[in-house]
Amino acid sequence: DQTASRGGFLEPAGLAQIKYFHHLTRSVEYERRGGSEFLKEQIANLPEKYKAEASSIIEGYLAKKGQTMKPWLRTFNSAAMVHTVLTTLLLAPISSITDLGGVAMRGKEMNNLDLFFKNILNATKGTESYATALRLGTIMQEGTDTVMVSVGDMDFSNKWARDIMHKFFKYTGLNLWTRYSRVVAVGMGRDFFIRNAEELSDPNITPARRETLLRWMAEGHPDLTAQDVLEWADGSNFGTEAQLRVDHAIRKFADESVVRPNQGQRPSWANDPRFQVLFQLKSFFYAFGDTVVAGAIREGANRHATDGKFTGAGQMALLAGVTLIPLTMLGLEARELIKYLLQAATPG
């Protein structure tokens, strides 16, 4: 075994497990929902003019387009990806401080900022938030570098390129920062749903407020109830469907707070690995806009539709003004300052 490991035939146990489940889970879930036959039936029911486009989009989602890619193009894309990462993302952990703004924005209102600051200070190993994030699969032993490089792109890169990028993200601190921000998001999500559930239990709550809180609960899971959350908080419903609903809601809250780009959050052509050299790094910004920025806009529109006033929508803008924008400014300024100081210390 030791000889095989030295020869590169064996992966460390944690990383091997993640890679195994990465492929196995996709295959099992795909087949459980009907697999290729189901998709073919759905495409066959479309008007003729949409069939080719639908087939192309689905192939991109399933990472099928790169199967005919020439070896030389794979090598070229791998080298280009490594070059871009090494020359662009050295200070990515610093500029990624913006991620915390997404967590605050997902909290929906100014009154929940105390939960945000509380979880910033309680997101290290050994905390309840860390244990919950690990149990929910929101953080992993390895692989968090896929925030900056899409999983689909990594699948169609050469092994040497994946190894270089993994080590780069590890030693520049991006993996550590991504793990920390996701733990913050999980803790924030837990406290967010518990606070909503406690408020829903108040018999004096106004109908309008109740409607808003129920909508927020449904965003986590369509069948989530205040009782589910309160029982989850005291540990009395573990091992039940109610616990799974709460787990799903918290996991979704975290995924919508800290961006995890996927094939559905980019143009269809960008899912073709032959073009990954053109789209590299853009997945993050597309996903950030779709998840965080557009999410805030949708929440503002929902509040306006509820009461016909702009007060609620204005609160989302204010929340962005006191969290997202300052954190972005801080990250960019800190990065530029470090670049300036490094340039002075190491000319050229």
Side-chain angles (χ1 to χ4, degrees):
D1 287 346
Q2 290 180 348
T3 303
S5 179
R6 292 194 198 99
F9 294 104
L10 295 180
E11 298 277 12
L15 183 57
Q17 185 181 33
I18 288 169
K19 287 186 174 181
Y20 175 74
F21 281 109
H22 168 65
H23 295 285
L24 177 66
T25 303
R26 288 193 302 184
S27 177
V28 170
E29 291 299 317
Y30 177 54
E31 294 300 329
R32 190 165 69 88
R33 288 165 170 77
S36 300
E37 293 305 317
F38 173 79
L39 291 176
K40 289 177 182 177
E41 291 175 4
Q42 302 307 307
I43 293 175
N45 292 330
L46 293 174
E48 194 65 36
K49 63 179 180 179
Y50 296 128
K51 289 182 179 179
E53 183 180 1
S55 297
S56 177
I57 291 172
I58 291 173
E59 284 181 1
Y61 285 178
L62 298 178
K64 300 289 187 182
K65 290 187 174 181
Q67 293 180 339
T68 59
M69 187 164 61
K70 301 294 184 182
W72 70 265
L73 184 55
R74 180 192 293 263
T75 301
F76 172 77
N77 279 342
S78 298
M81 182 180 293
V82 170
H83 176 268
T84 302
V85 166
L86 296 182
T87 57
T88 307
L89 298 179
L90 177 64
L91 302 178
I94 296 171
S95 55
S96 293
I97 193 173
T98 308
D99 289 352
L100 294 179
V103 178
M105 292 287 291
R106 187 63 179 80
K108 302 290 190 181
E109 54 188 359
M110 297 290 291
N111 292 341
N112 287 329
L113 278 180
D114 63 317
L115 304 179
F116 172 63
F117 291 115
K118 166 195 166 186
N119 283 286
I120 283 180
L121 301 175
N122 293 281
T124 55
K125 280 189 176 181
T127 62
E128 181 184 353
S129 295
Y130 189 92
T132 302
L134 199 59
R135 181 175 64 81
L136 297 180
T138 307
I139 58 173
M140 301 173 289
Q141 289 175 291
E142 305 290 349
T144 53
D145 45 321
T146 55
V147 167
M148 285 296 182
V149 181
S150 157
V151 174
D153 294 343
M154 296 285 271
D155 282 349
F156 287 99
S157 300
N158 290 336
K159 184 180 182 302
W160 59 264
R162 295 196 299 270
D163 290 343
I164 291 174
M165 288 186 286
H166 172 69
K167 287 183 172 60
F168 177 82
F169 288 128
K170 177 181 178 180
Y171 293 114
T172 56
L174 183 61
N175 280 0
L176 184 64
W177 170 258
T178 304
R179 188 175 294 118
Y180 167 78
S181 59
R182 289 181 184 170
V183 173
V184 172
V186 166
M188 179 75 176
R190 175 200 61 214
D191 294 343
F192 173 78
F193 287 112
I194 291 175
R195 176 169 287 183
N196 290 348
E198 290 174 342
E199 192 172 351
L200 281 168
S201 301
D202 182 358
N204 299 318
I205 189 174
T206 65
R209 180 62 175 172
R210 177 177 294 277
E211 182 182 349
T212 297
L213 293 175
L214 288 174
R215 176 168 57 80
W216 292 349
M217 298 284 275
E219 287 178 2
H221 190 286
D223 301 321
L224 187 65
T225 66
Q227 183 179 355
D228 290 342
V229 176
L230 295 177
E231 290 179 354
W232 184 95
D234 62 26
S236 62
N237 67 3
F238 273 35
T240 67
E241 289 294 326
Q243 181 220 332
L244 296 179
R245 288 194 291 269
V246 180
D247 286 352
H248 178 278
I250 296 174
R251 190 183 300 111
K252 184 177 180 183
F253 183 101
D255 286 345
E256 292 178 351
S257 302
V258 180
V259 177
R260 301 175 77 173
N262 59 60
Q263 280 89 337
Q265 294 174 315
R266 50 206 259 176
S268 179
W269 64 266
N271 287 324
D272 189 329
R274 291 172 294 182
F275 301 129
Q276 68 184 29
V277 68
L278 302 177
F279 201 78
Q280 189 185 353
L281 303 185
K282 295 178 178 65
S283 288
F284 175 81
F285 298 103
Y286 265 74
F288 188 86
D290 180 63
T291 304
V292 178
V293 179
I297 294 173
R298 288 192 294 269
E299 177 61 24
N302 287 333
R303 293 189 186 185
H304 179 264
T306 300
D307 56 17
K309 300 178 181 179
F310 288 97
T311 306
Q315 187 172 161
M316 292 304 297
L318 180 61
L319 192 57
V322 300
T323 58
L324 190 61
I325 295 175
L327 285 171
T328 302
M329 294 169 61
L330 177 63
L332 291 174
E333 183 60 30
R335 186 181 65 180
E336 293 304 313
L337 177 61
I338 292 174
K339 286 169 62 177
Y340 177 78
L341 295 175
L342 287 176
Q343 193 175 35
T346 55

